[in-house]
């Protein structure tokens, strides 16, 4: 029983990371009906920006403190928000009236551009680098209850995720900007007739998703202290699967999908023979099963498109 509960704790921590990334996928899809395949790479940029902020730019890793951690997190989230804005403004907005396949191909191109651009020596280099410790005494367990250990890093991931998701819920549900975002996601033309600045709301959606992805990148770099230009590839795909699982376009669904996917992967790795070899494949099995059984996802709604 202790082992099962321990796996649940590990799965929730991992699922929280996937959920932070999946929310960006689902918000962009909800507004533009676009699968932004570059979103996983923005998550990688979050870890990369945090690495440079902690080493080259400010040297904040020399004496790690909590204020320095929050400063590094803020820098990474701000820069990724700018990147998200530029991606929407330069790559997707010019194609908004073009066939949807054009935007999809562009998203793949932007993803490859970021991945291979990051491998250039002048940018980051092809080899992984160790992420410095930016929080004092972060390793080790926070508490232990009857053999179930909650590490400090896992507690940090869960707390940051809950705070960010609470802030996102408040923003979307209880502010005028959130109301405009929901209106744009319902219908472009009607929202425009009501005086809602469509372009500004769409840019804001990209910025918001990128900020959350950056937070996920920083947290992962703290837990697994390594930064790699290709580290966003697999988490990005899994976050997309989580968004589909929960019902793409639905924010609570993306969170549920991320947590469910994280728990499933950890339990498969923990209990199936040689499960660690199959855990990455679980996401794709879930994707196929969802598309076959309930294409709209767990919390999604079936929509009818006029042709």
């Amino acid at each position: 029983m202790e082992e099962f509960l321990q796996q649940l704790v590990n799965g929730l921590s991992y699922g929280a990371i996937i959920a932070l990334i999946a929310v960006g996928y689902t918000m962009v899809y909800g507004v533009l009906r676009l699968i932004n395949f570059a979103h996983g790479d923005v998550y990688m940029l979050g870890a990369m920006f945090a690495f440079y902020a902690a080493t080259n730019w400010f040297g904040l890793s020399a004496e790690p403190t909590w204020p320095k951690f929050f400063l590094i997190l803020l820098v990474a989230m701000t820069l990724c928000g700018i990147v998200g804005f530029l991606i929407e403004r330069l790559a997707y907005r010019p194609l908004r009236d073009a066939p949807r396949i054009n935007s999809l191909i562009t998203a793949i191109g932007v993803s490859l551009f970021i991945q291979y651009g990051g491998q250039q020596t002048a940018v980051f280099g092809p080899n992984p680098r160790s992420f410095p410790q930016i929080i004092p005494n972060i390793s080790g367990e926070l508490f232990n209850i009857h053999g179930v250990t909650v590490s400090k890093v896992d507690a940090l991931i869960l707390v940051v995720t809950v705070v960010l998701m609470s802030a996102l819920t408040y923003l979307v549900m209880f502010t005028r900007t959130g109301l405009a975002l929901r209106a744009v996601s319902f219908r472009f033309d009607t929202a425009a007739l009501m005086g809602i600045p469509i372009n500004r709301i769409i840019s804001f959606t990209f910025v918001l998703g990128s900020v959350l992805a950056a937070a996920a990148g920083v947290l992962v770099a703290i837990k697994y202290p390594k930064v790699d230009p290709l580290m966003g590839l697999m988490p990005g795909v899994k976050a997309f699967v989580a968004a589909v699982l929960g019902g793409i376009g639905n924010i609570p669904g993306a969170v549920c999908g991320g947590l469910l996917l994280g728990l499933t992967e950890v339990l498969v790795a923990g209990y199936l023979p040689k499960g660690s070899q199959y855990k990455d494949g679980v996401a794709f099995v879930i994707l196929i099963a969802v598309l076959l059984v309930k294409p709209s996802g767990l919390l999604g709604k079936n929509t009818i498109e006029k042709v």
Side-chain angles (χ1 to χ4, degrees):
M1 189 62 183
E2 290 83 1
E3 183 182 352
F4 178 72
L5 293 176
Q6 185 64 61
Q7 298 292 1
L8 287 184
V9 172
N10 298 337
L12 285 175
S13 172
Y14 178 60
I17 296 294
I18 299 296
L20 281 174
I21 309 172
V23 167
Y25 272 109
T26 209
M27 285 197 303
V28 169
Y29 184 86
V31 172
L32 282 181
R33 301 296 183 268
L34 166 69
I35 300 171
N36 179 21
F37 283 112
H39 191 61
D41 301 293
V42 175
Y43 149 84
M44 177 274 291
L45 287 177
M48 189 179 290
F49 288 143
F51 173 84
Y52 279 124
T55 55
N56 296 25
W57 295 344
F58 308 121
L60 298 177
S61 62
E63 294 181 2
T65 60
W66 281 98
K68 289 180 179 178
F69 158 69
F70 288 114
L71 179 58
I72 291 171
L73 183 64
L74 182 63
V75 168
M77 293 170 74
T78 303
L79 292 178
C80 281
I82 295 172
V83 170
F85 172 80
L86 292 176
I87 288 174
E88 189 278 330
R89 183 65 185 85
L90 301 179
Y92 297 144
R93 189 180 299 184
L95 299 173
R96 194 173 298 166
D97 296 326
R100 199 171 297 175
I101 188 67
N102 293 19
S103 299
L104 193 64
I105 294 172
T106 302
I108 297 173
V110 172
S111 173
L112 294 175
F113 174 77
I114 295 175
Q115 288 176 22
Y116 289 97
Q119 294 183 65
Q120 297 299 313
T121 308
V123 179
F124 189 82
N127 299 319
R129 298 194 198 182
S130 296
F131 190 80
Q133 182 174 343
I134 58 175
I135 302 176
N137 304 317
I138 192 62
S139 59
E141 64 181 46
L142 181 64
F143 56 81
N144 187 316
I145 302 176
H146 301 297
V148 179
T149 300
V150 177
S151 68
K152 296 177 183 176
V153 177
D154 287 337
L156 174 69
I157 290 173
L158 293 173
V159 169
V160 171
T161 301
V162 169
V163 170
L164 291 177
M165 288 303 162
S166 301
L168 177 66
T169 302
Y170 176 79
L171 180 64
V172 172
M173 301 303 297
F174 302 106
T175 66
R176 291 177 62 86
T177 302
L179 181 63
L181 194 154
R182 285 182 282 143
V184 171
S185 70
F186 187 71
R187 279 200 66 147
F188 264 43
D189 48 358
T190 306
L193 289 173
M194 296 172 67
I196 294 174
I198 303 295
N199 289 332
R200 192 183 306 171
I201 293 299
I202 292 175
S203 295
F204 177 74
T205 303
F206 273 81
V207 170
L208 198 55
S210 300
V211 163
L212 295 175
V218 176
L219 293 173
V220 166
I222 292 172
K223 183 169 184 177
Y224 310 104
K226 185 182 72 172
V227 180
D228 181 346
L230 300 180
M231 65 182 284
L233 182 59
M234 189 55 72
V237 174
K238 291 179 180 177
F240 167 65
V241 172
V244 174
L245 173 61
I248 193 160
N250 185 305
I251 293 176
V255 177
C256 293
L259 294 176
L260 190 58
L261 183 63
L263 286 170
T264 305
E265 279 199 25
V266 170
L267 292 176
V268 166
Y271 287 101
L272 284 186
K274 300 181 179 179
S276 59
Q277 299 179 9
Y278 307 119
K279 67 181 183 65
D280 286 336
V282 169
F284 302 101
V285 173
I286 291 176
L287 176 62
I288 294 171
V290 170
L291 293 177
L292 288 175
V293 178
K294 197 173 187 304
S296 59
L298 297 177
L299 302 183
K301 297 179 181 177
N302 291 319
T303 57
I304 300 174
E305 291 189 5
K306 294 181 180 179
V307 294

